[in-house]
Amino acid sequence: MSPPRGERPDVGQGVGRAGLVGSGPMLVALDIDGTLMTYDGEISADLRGVVAELRHAGAHLVLATGRSVHATVPVAHELGLTDGWAVSSNGAVTLRLDPGAETGYEVTDRITFDPGPALRLMHAELPDAHFAVEDLDSGFRMNKLFPTGELSGHHEVVDLEDLWSEHVTRLVVRSPDHTSTDFHDLVHRMGLDEVTYAVGWTAWMDIAPKGVTKASALEVVRRRLGVEPARTVAIGDGSNDLQMIDWAARGVAMGHAPQPVREVADEVTGTIDDDGALDVLRSLLR
């Protein structure tokens, strides 16, 4: 839950690294939901404007999100990002935005895993849970429909066994009767060692290939762009942003981020209600 509007955490909390040094282009990694976009799906005009200014100044703006590709690209275009790079599916998919491509993008990296072992373990513990696997170009296959608006794209209900019939980029687990704390306890008890997982604000878990995070994908993008490590910035608000905030030379947590995310950050900005990312992006122009 976000703090009340206008109530800001202490900016600068968690500062422990030197931040940006040197010269040359910056790579600015941006989470979408709860960072750039409100929970009502709005991005402020001011934020769109400062993104354009940073692009004009030569910065590489890279969306890094848990969203699927088909839900990432429209946001990139709304921000005026029609070329460059984006990271989707919590790092399992990297795409190069290309206005000349038929779809507006090209998938350059796609990392998959066998969801079967984790899915069978989770289903044994949570037999009433919702399970879904990501279909890269279209949407999700699931054992039963998720609530409206929680997953994007085309939804196909299939038998549970069909969900592990092939390797996938992501497995989603949703169990409304459990809390995020329950999920963390469950994972520790089960010992899911062959995958990477991130627990959401509620009883929601994204399971990805082992070692795959937003940070792992962003490091590949950084090297491709030739950006120095000391010229990297990341802003996020969720547990799936923790590694990328730690990865960046200047890692920023939104004010409503969970405590572990705020603790790893170099600084904490305002909440999404405050448009907290705006202050950080404006500071980069200075």
Side-chain angles (χ1 to χ4, degrees):
M1 179 180 296
S2 301
R5 186 177 179 82
E7 184 176 309
R8 297 165 88 81
D10 292 333
V11 175
Q13 176 182 334
V15 173
R17 286 173 291 182
L20 299 187
V21 296
S23 59
M26 290 182 291
L27 189 163
V28 184
L30 301 168
D31 173 52
I32 295 177
D33 298 286
T35 300
L36 300 181
M37 181 177 284
T38 69
Y39 302 113
D40 295 325
E42 300 294 329
I43 299 176
S44 72
D46 287 342
L47 200 146
R48 290 196 297 271
V50 76
V51 165
E53 289 183 72
L54 282 166
R55 289 263 289 174
H56 183 70
H60 299 285
L61 280 294
V62 180
L63 298 182
T65 177
R67 289 181 172 222
S68 301
V69 170
H70 55 266
T72 303
V73 174
V75 178
H77 289 173
E78 181 179 349
L79 289 165
L81 306 176
T82 56
D83 58 8
W85 296 85
V87 170
S88 295
S89 304
N90 289 323
V93 181
T94 301
L95 54 145
R96 185 176 62 84
L97 299 165
D98 180 359
E102 182 178 351
T103 57
Y105 66 89
E106 170 197 6
V107 172
T108 61
D109 301 90
R110 179 175 182 263
I111 305 172
T112 63
F113 72 111
D114 177 5
L119 204 162
R120 287 187 284 267
L121 281 172
M122 295 295 290
H123 183 256
E125 293 281 346
L126 305 170
D128 297 324
H130 295 68
F131 298 93
V133 295
E134 185 175 64
D135 285 333
L136 184 60
D137 297 318
S138 57
F140 292 84
R141 287 176 289 126
M142 55 193 65
N143 66 326
K144 51 188 172 182
L145 289 174
F146 279 55
T148 302
E150 288 193 349
L151 292 176
S152 61
H154 174 71
H155 299 169
E156 181 183 1
V157 177
V158 299
D159 292 336
L160 188 70
E161 291 76 9
D162 187 63
L163 298 181
W164 60 69
S165 62
E166 59 186 49
H167 284 213
V168 298
T169 50
R170 177 163 52 147
L171 166 65
V172 179
V173 184
R174 184 187 190 278
S175 184
D177 296 330
H178 295 81
T179 66
S180 57
T181 300
D182 292 336
F183 263 26
H184 282 293
D185 292 343
L186 178 63
V187 168
H188 287 303
R189 188 170 73 251
M190 293 169 55
L192 293 179
D193 298 327
E194 298 305 316
V195 295
T196 300
Y197 73 95
V199 176
W201 291 95
T202 57
W204 177 289
M205 181 190 297
D206 282 330
I207 297 177
K210 186 175 183 178
V212 171
T213 65
K214 293 182 181 183
S216 66
L218 286 166
E219 177 61 16
V220 174
V221 172
R222 182 194 69 76
R223 292 172 183 270
R224 286 175 177 163
L225 291 171
V227 173
E228 293 297 322
R231 302 290 292 168
T232 54
V233 183
I235 313 174
D237 76 310
S239 62
N240 60 339
D241 296 314
L242 191 152
Q243 292 90 347
M244 87 166 179
I245 289 172
D246 190 47
W247 163 85
R250 181 182 177 186
V252 183
M254 297 293 287
H256 58 276
Q259 185 67 22
V261 177
R262 286 183 279 127
E263 286 177 349
V264 81
D266 296 299
E267 62 193 82
V268 178
T269 187
T271 70
I272 184 62
D273 291 333
D274 299 317
D275 215 358
L278 182 62
D279 292 339
V280 180
L281 296 180
R282 281 176 172 163
S283 76
L284 299 177
L285 289 169
R286 296 193 292 270

Short mmCIF file of all heavy atoms in Angstrom, two decimals, residues 186-212:
data_model
loop_
_atom_site.label_atom_id
_atom_site.label_comp_id
_atom_site.label_asym_id
_atom_site.label_seq_id
_atom_site.Cartn_x
_atom_site.Cartn_y
_atom_site.Cartn_z
N LEU A 186 6.42 -20.66 1.58
CA LEU A 186 6.23 -21.86 0.77
C LEU A 186 7.46 -22.15 -0.09
O LEU A 186 7.91 -23.29 -0.18
CB LEU A 186 4.99 -21.68 -0.11
CG LEU A 186 4.64 -22.83 -1.06
CD1 LEU A 186 4.33 -24.09 -0.27
CD2 LEU A 186 3.45 -22.45 -1.95
N VAL A 187 7.99 -21.12 -0.72
CA VAL A 187 9.16 -21.31 -1.58
C VAL A 187 10.35 -21.82 -0.78
O VAL A 187 11.06 -22.73 -1.21
CB VAL A 187 9.51 -19.97 -2.29
CG1 VAL A 187 10.88 -20.06 -2.94
CG2 VAL A 187 8.45 -19.63 -3.32
N HIS A 188 10.57 -21.25 0.40
CA HIS A 188 11.69 -21.70 1.23
C HIS A 188 11.50 -23.16 1.66
O HIS A 188 12.46 -23.93 1.71
CB HIS A 188 11.83 -20.80 2.46
CG HIS A 188 12.38 -19.45 2.14
ND1 HIS A 188 13.59 -19.25 1.52
CD2 HIS A 188 11.86 -18.20 2.36
CE1 HIS A 188 13.82 -17.96 1.37
NE2 HIS A 188 12.78 -17.30 1.86
N ARG A 189 10.27 -23.53 1.96
CA ARG A 189 9.99 -24.89 2.39
C ARG A 189 10.17 -25.89 1.25
O ARG A 189 10.67 -27.00 1.44
CB ARG A 189 8.57 -24.97 2.95
CG ARG A 189 8.25 -26.32 3.60
CD ARG A 189 6.95 -26.30 4.36
NE ARG A 189 5.79 -26.28 3.48
CZ ARG A 189 4.99 -25.24 3.31
NH1 ARG A 189 5.21 -24.11 3.96
NH2 ARG A 189 3.95 -25.30 2.49
N MET A 190 9.78 -25.46 0.04
CA MET A 190 9.84 -26.36 -1.11
C MET A 190 11.22 -26.44 -1.72
O MET A 190 11.57 -27.42 -2.37
CB MET A 190 8.83 -25.90 -2.18
CG MET A 190 7.39 -26.05 -1.76
SD MET A 190 6.26 -25.21 -2.91
CE MET A 190 6.72 -25.96 -4.44
N GLY A 191 12.01 -25.36 -1.57
CA GLY A 191 13.36 -25.35 -2.14
C GLY A 191 13.37 -25.30 -3.65
O GLY A 191 13.92 -26.20 -4.30
N LEU A 192 12.79 -24.26 -4.21
CA LEU A 192 12.79 -24.09 -5.67
C LEU A 192 14.14 -23.54 -6.11
O LEU A 192 14.32 -22.34 -6.33
CB LEU A 192 11.66 -23.14 -6.09
CG LEU A 192 10.23 -23.63 -5.87
CD1 LEU A 192 9.23 -22.58 -6.31
CD2 LEU A 192 9.98 -24.93 -6.63
N ASP A 193 15.11 -24.43 -6.27
CA ASP A 193 16.48 -24.02 -6.53
C ASP A 193 16.80 -23.85 -8.02
O ASP A 193 17.80 -23.22 -8.36
CB ASP A 193 17.47 -25.04 -5.94
CG ASP A 193 17.35 -25.14 -4.43
OD1 ASP A 193 17.05 -24.10 -3.81
OD2 ASP A 193 17.54 -26.25 -3.90
N GLU A 194 15.98 -24.42 -8.88
CA GLU A 194 16.32 -24.42 -10.30
C GLU A 194 15.61 -23.32 -11.08
O GLU A 194 15.61 -23.32 -12.30
CB GLU A 194 15.97 -25.79 -10.92
CG GLU A 194 16.75 -26.94 -10.31
CD GLU A 194 18.27 -26.72 -10.38
OE1 GLU A 194 18.73 -26.30 -11.46
OE2 GLU A 194 18.95 -26.96 -9.38
N VAL A 195 15.02 -22.37 -10.37
CA VAL A 195 14.32 -21.27 -11.03
C VAL A 195 14.61 -19.97 -10.25
O VAL A 195 15.15 -20.00 -9.15
CB VAL A 195 12.79 -21.49 -11.08
CG1 VAL A 195 12.45 -22.69 -11.96
CG2 VAL A 195 12.22 -21.68 -9.67
N THR A 196 14.24 -18.85 -10.85
CA THR A 196 14.26 -17.56 -10.18
C THR A 196 12.82 -17.14 -9.95
O THR A 196 11.98 -17.33 -10.83
CB THR A 196 14.98 -16.51 -11.05
OG1 THR A 196 16.32 -16.93 -11.29
CG2 THR A 196 15.00 -15.15 -10.37
N TYR A 197 12.53 -16.58 -8.80
CA TYR A 197 11.14 -16.21 -8.55
C TYR A 197 11.06 -14.81 -7.94
O TYR A 197 12.01 -14.32 -7.33
CB TYR A 197 10.46 -17.22 -7.61
CG TYR A 197 10.91 -17.12 -6.18
CD1 TYR A 197 10.20 -16.36 -5.25
CD2 TYR A 197 12.05 -17.80 -5.74
CE1 TYR A 197 10.62 -16.26 -3.94
CE2 TYR A 197 12.47 -17.70 -4.43
CZ TYR A 197 11.75 -16.93 -3.54
OH TYR A 197 12.17 -16.82 -2.25
N ALA A 198 9.92 -14.17 -8.15
CA ALA A 198 9.64 -12.87 -7.53
C ALA A 198 8.20 -12.89 -7.06
O ALA A 198 7.29 -13.25 -7.82
CB ALA A 198 9.85 -11.73 -8.53
N VAL A 199 7.99 -12.51 -5.81
CA VAL A 199 6.65 -12.48 -5.23
C VAL A 199 6.11 -11.05 -5.31
O VAL A 199 6.82 -10.10 -4.98
CB VAL A 199 6.66 -12.96 -3.77
CG1 VAL A 199 5.28 -12.83 -3.14
CG2 VAL A 199 7.12 -14.42 -3.71
N GLY A 200 4.87 -10.90 -5.75
CA GLY A 200 4.27 -9.59 -5.91
C GLY A 200 3.71 -9.04 -4.62
O GLY A 200 3.94 -9.55 -3.53
N TRP A 201 2.90 -7.97 -4.78
CA TRP A 201 2.31 -7.30 -3.62
C TRP A 201 1.31 -8.19 -2.90
O TRP A 201 1.10 -8.08 -1.69
CB TRP A 201 1.61 -6.02 -4.08
CG TRP A 201 2.57 -4.98 -4.55
CD1 TRP A 201 2.95 -4.74 -5.84
CD2 TRP A 201 3.29 -4.03 -3.75
NE1 TRP A 201 3.85 -3.71 -5.89
CE2 TRP A 201 4.07 -3.25 -4.61
CE3 TRP A 201 3.33 -3.77 -2.38
CZ2 TRP A 201 4.89 -2.23 -4.16
CZ3 TRP A 201 4.15 -2.76 -1.93
CH2 TRP A 201 4.92 -1.99 -2.81
N THR A 202 0.66 -9.06 -3.62
CA THR A 202 -0.30 -9.98 -3.02
C THR A 202 0.20 -11.40 -3.26
O THR A 202 1.38 -11.59 -3.50
CB THR A 202 -1.70 -9.78 -3.64
OG1 THR A 202 -1.60 -9.97 -5.07
CG2 THR A 202 -2.22 -8.38 -3.37
N ALA A 203 -0.68 -12.36 -3.19
CA ALA A 203 -0.26 -13.75 -3.39
C ALA A 203 -0.11 -14.03 -4.88
O ALA A 203 -0.91 -14.71 -5.52
CB ALA A 203 -1.27 -14.70 -2.76
N TRP A 204 0.94 -13.49 -5.42
CA TRP A 204 1.24 -13.58 -6.85
C TRP A 204 2.72 -13.86 -6.98
O TRP A 204 3.55 -13.22 -6.34
CB TRP A 204 0.88 -12.26 -7.52
CG TRP A 204 1.21 -12.18 -8.98
CD1 TRP A 204 2.45 -12.10 -9.55
CD2 TRP A 204 0.28 -12.13 -10.06
NE1 TRP A 204 2.35 -12.02 -10.91
CE2 TRP A 204 1.02 -12.04 -11.25
CE3 TRP A 204 -1.11 -12.16 -10.13
CZ2 TRP A 204 0.42 -11.96 -12.50
CZ3 TRP A 204 -1.71 -12.09 -11.38
CH2 TRP A 204 -0.96 -12.00 -12.55
N MET A 205 3.08 -14.83 -7.82
CA MET A 205 4.49 -15.15 -8.01
C MET A 205 4.80 -15.32 -9.48
O MET A 205 4.05 -15.97 -10.22
CB MET A 205 4.83 -16.44 -7.26
CG MET A 205 6.31 -16.83 -7.38
SD MET A 205 6.63 -18.50 -6.74
CE MET A 205 6.19 -18.28 -5.03
N ASP A 206 5.88 -14.70 -9.92
CA ASP A 206 6.43 -14.92 -11.25
C ASP A 206 7.63 -15.84 -11.12
O ASP A 206 8.55 -15.55 -10.33
CB ASP A 206 6.86 -13.60 -11.90
CG ASP A 206 5.70 -12.79 -12.44
OD1 ASP A 206 4.70 -13.40 -12.86
OD2 ASP A 206 5.81 -11.55 -12.46
N ILE A 207 7.65 -16.92 -11.88
CA ILE A 207 8.77 -17.86 -11.86
C ILE A 207 9.44 -17.82 -13.23
O ILE A 207 8.78 -17.93 -14.26
CB ILE A 207 8.27 -19.27 -11.52
CG1 ILE A 207 7.66 -19.28 -10.11
CG2 ILE A 207 9.42 -20.27 -11.59
CD1 ILE A 207 7.07 -20.62 -9.71
N ALA A 208 10.76 -17.65 -13.22
CA ALA A 208 11.53 -17.47 -14.44
C ALA A 208 12.68 -18.46 -14.48
O ALA A 208 12.97 -19.15 -13.49
CB ALA A 208 12.07 -16.03 -14.50
N PRO A 209 13.40 -18.54 -15.62
CA PRO A 209 14.58 -19.40 -15.68
C PRO A 209 15.60 -19.02 -14.60
O PRO A 209 15.71 -17.86 -14.22
CB PRO A 209 15.14 -19.13 -17.08
CG PRO A 209 13.96 -18.67 -17.88
CD PRO A 209 13.11 -17.89 -16.91
N LYS A 210 16.35 -19.99 -14.13
CA LYS A 210 17.33 -19.76 -13.08
C LYS A 210 18.33 -18.68 -13.50
O LYS A 210 18.89 -18.73 -14.59
CB LYS A 210 18.06 -21.05 -12.74
CG LYS A 210 19.00 -20.93 -11.55
CD LYS A 210 19.61 -22.26 -11.18
CE LYS A 210 20.50 -22.13 -9.94
NZ LYS A 210 21.07 -23.44 -9.54
N GLY A 211 18.55 -17.73 -12.61
CA GLY A 211 19.54 -16.68 -12.87
C GLY A 211 19.05 -15.54 -13.73
O GLY A 211 19.79 -14.58 -13.95
N VAL A 212 17.81 -15.62 -14.20
CA VAL A 212 17.27 -14.58 -15.08
C VAL A 212 16.52 -13.55 -14.26
O VAL A 212 15.59 -13.87 -13.53
CB VAL A 212 16.34 -15.19 -16.15
CG1 VAL A 212 15.61 -14.11 -16.91
CG2 VAL A 212 17.15 -16.06 -17.10
#
